[in-house]
Amino acid sequence: MDQPSDLEPAHGVGPWDGPWPADPRLDPELLAHGDRRNVVDRYRYWRHEAIVADLDARRHPFHVAIENWQHDLNIGSVVRTANAFLAAQVHIVGNRRWNRRGAMVTDRYQHVRHHPTVTDLADWAAASSLPVIGIDNLPGSVPLETYALPRECVLVFGQESVGLSDAVREAAVATVAIGQYGSTRSINAGAAAAIAMHSWVRQHADVDAGHLL
């Protein structure tokens, strides 16, 4: 196997070069030793809490929820995508523990809330005046491609193997399906979440702002 060359650039940036900046958002340890974190360039050398505060000031008003009855391995991917699209929160419904590997440490910057049951999620959504939108290719679902997603809402995804539970279907004000044209019955839950979140972005987000990071 080929070994990486010393001339190949490392991920992130090295120690700060030049006069020491006075910006209170910057972390002295990162300035001294470099910043190899999985963050966009605008956040290089920033303290963790400063990054979260800046994200909190700009978060989009949609939430993402995923059912976790069988320790779904897609949850990490969903959290990472929710961070990329700046979702308000990710909600884990069912088992509290989830596989964080796919999140690539983005859960440090993304608010994640746990609900033991679908009823708990539904009660929280109702108290927050947020409609629940199920994402699944069920009979009676409407096409996501033509559905007007509410600006403030909770997008809910089921387990990889069984899809949305009956409890979510009952709590949802609508269930939408992603158009498919091949032979497979369904697509990966992490991929479905990314498609649905991007559909929200296309309808409600500042597209230009998403290309400035």
Side-chain angles (χ1 to χ4, degrees):
M1 180 180 295
D2 293 338
Q3 296 298 316
S5 167
D6 290 339
L7 299 178
E8 292 178 352
H11 179 74
V13 292
W16 183 267
D17 183 18
W20 208 256
D23 190 335
R25 297 173 301 182
L26 304 183
D27 187 322
E29 288 293 317
L30 295 174
L31 289 169
H33 302 291
D35 187 354
R36 308 298 182 185
R37 299 173 300 174
N38 179 26
V39 296
V40 295
D41 288 345
R42 66 172 294 192
Y43 291 137
R44 289 296 174 204
Y45 303 115
W46 281 38
R47 300 175 187 270
H48 170 259
E49 58 270 23
I51 295 176
V52 174
D54 188 70
L55 294 174
D56 285 348
R58 301 185 292 109
R59 290 193 192 276
H60 291 135
F62 77 92
H63 295 244
V64 177
I66 184 166
E67 297 187 273
N68 184 36
W69 310 113
Q70 301 170 357
H71 298 289
D72 197 319
L73 297 179
N74 290 290
I75 293 178
S77 175
V78 173
V79 170
R80 183 179 181 183
T81 304
N83 170 267
F85 292 136
L86 205 56
Q89 291 188 76
V90 174
H91 302 258
I92 311 297
V93 183
N95 295 315
R96 180 181 293 274
R97 297 184 62 184
W98 54 278
N99 190 318
R100 285 170 164 75
R101 178 172 297 181
M104 297 292 287
V105 198
T106 55
D107 55 305
R108 294 189 64 200
Y109 308 95
Q110 178 63 52
H111 298 300
V112 179
R113 179 191 293 255
H114 174 250
H115 302 271
T117 68
V118 172
T119 299
D120 293 315
L121 172 69
D123 289 346
W124 174 87
S128 303
S129 300
L130 294 171
V132 173
I133 310 295
I135 313 293
D136 205 347
N137 58 343
L138 299 168
S141 297
V142 298
L144 172 63
E145 294 79 11
T146 58
Y147 184 75
L149 291 170
R151 178 172 175 77
E152 299 180 5
C153 63
V154 184
L155 305 175
V156 186
F157 306 88
Q159 289 279 175
E160 176 73 22
S161 57
V162 297
L164 290 176
S165 66
D166 290 341
V168 170
R169 300 178 199 180
E170 293 176 5
V173 300
T175 302
V176 300
I178 297 168
Q180 297 176 202
Y181 304 90
S183 61
T184 184
R185 191 194 72 80
S186 63
I187 61 177
N188 174 271
I195 292 169
M197 283 186 259
H198 192 254
S199 293
W200 186 97
V201 164
R202 293 189 65 184
Q203 293 184 35
H204 298 292
D206 181 342
V207 174
D208 290 338
H211 292 272
L212 295 177
L213 299 178

